[in-house]
Amino acid sequence: MSKNSKHFLEISQLTPEFVMQLILRAIYFKTEDEYPRYSKNILANLFYENSTRTRVSFELAARHLGISCINLDLQSSSEKKGEIAEDTLQTLAAMGVNLFVVRHQQSEFSKKLVNFLVNDEHIINAGDGVNSHPSQAMLDVMTIFEVKPNLEKLKIAIVGDILHSRVANSLQSLFSLLGVENLFFVAPKIWHPKEINHGYFTTSLEEGLANADVIITLRVQKERILQDEMFDVQTYCKLYSITSKTIKYAKSDVMVMHPGPINRGIEIASDVADGSHSYILKQVKNGVFMRMAIIESLITS
Ligand code: NCD
């Protein structure tokens, strides 16, 4: 069970048993044509940052479960008129919204919003700054589990802009929770985080990928990189790009993953992204089922 199952905010609130429960429920949804209906609920997507796949994925997850979904265009809504997020939340709650999916550029934003809830509403963190993105980590682990269920035994390499990646943070917590010891982070030194809680860091792609079962590539997040954290993109491509040549360091059945959106030809070559090792679209597909499992766990707890 989750330690605090009213909201879905961080991997740290989960237990290994609850993670497995969500994965199995998501896999079950994937095999079914009909789903339970929770039509008394209303979900609002509050995205203060752009998103396509995560937002649409939550919307489809809600619809599959018979839940109405509202998408707020926060660029043109009352946010522009100076309304603060707390007021938006309380206004929507007064109209019956009880599930809020929140993405914001500020770390811990979803957690702060919890203090402004009036009744029994639930908050799901869909990405807060560089802090965390727990539903993405969950769908990534689901995707791995379906193909290589022996998670503890795997070597997993996460390659790219670790310093600015909320996905990498959540994956680090989740792999630690699930006992994945052979976790490697590969990036130029300047993109290594200051604090390392779990896993090994290396600047060598060859070392990181050697005998890997899974490669998770991350987007070079130009919008988050500060002046003093710059690393030349051309050099990055040369040293760290996942190509048909570099995946040869890994196992012959290596899974190549990416949370998207991808920069083709930068962190990943097109032929790998579209090739037989790629699980990128499977991740996207699994995202809907995993989010169904997450939403259901909150409203039925
Ligand atoms: C990630 C995000 O927004 O944090 N993408 C996603 O949710 N699918 C990663 C990224 O932006 O690179």
Side-chain angles (χ1 to χ4, degrees), residues 1 16 30 50 59-60 66 72 75 101 110 113 130-131 147 161 235 277:
M1 280 292 288
K30 198 172 171 181
N50 287 343
E59 178 167 358
L60 291 175
L72 268 85
Q75 311 301 315
V101 179
S110 302
L113 280 188
V130 293
N131 186 48
V147 184
D161 183 5
T235 315
H277 289 283

Side-chain angles (χ1 to χ4, degrees), residues 101-168:
V101 179
V102 182
R103 170 170 287 193
H104 199 279
Q105 50 280 10
Q106 202 182 304
S107 289
E108 311 239 310
F109 191 78
S110 302
K111 204 169 174 183
K112 283 182 201 140
L113 280 188
V114 169
N115 301 320
F116 299 97
L117 295 175
V118 256
N119 286 310
D120 258 350
E121 297 90 3
H122 309 279
I123 293 191
I124 299 173
N125 177 8
D128 58 332
V130 293
N131 186 48
S132 70
H133 193 353
S135 66
Q136 179 69 46
M138 286 295 300
L139 74 90
D140 291 345
V141 170
M142 171 191 174
T143 309
I144 299 169
F145 178 80
E146 282 184 309
V147 184
K148 301 190 176 195
N150 219 344
L151 295 172
E152 285 172 36
K153 299 257 155 64
L154 301 180
K155 172 168 177 180
I156 300 180
I158 304 182
V159 184
D161 183 5
I162 318 280
L163 180 64
H164 304 99
S165 176
R166 53 193 172 204
V167 178

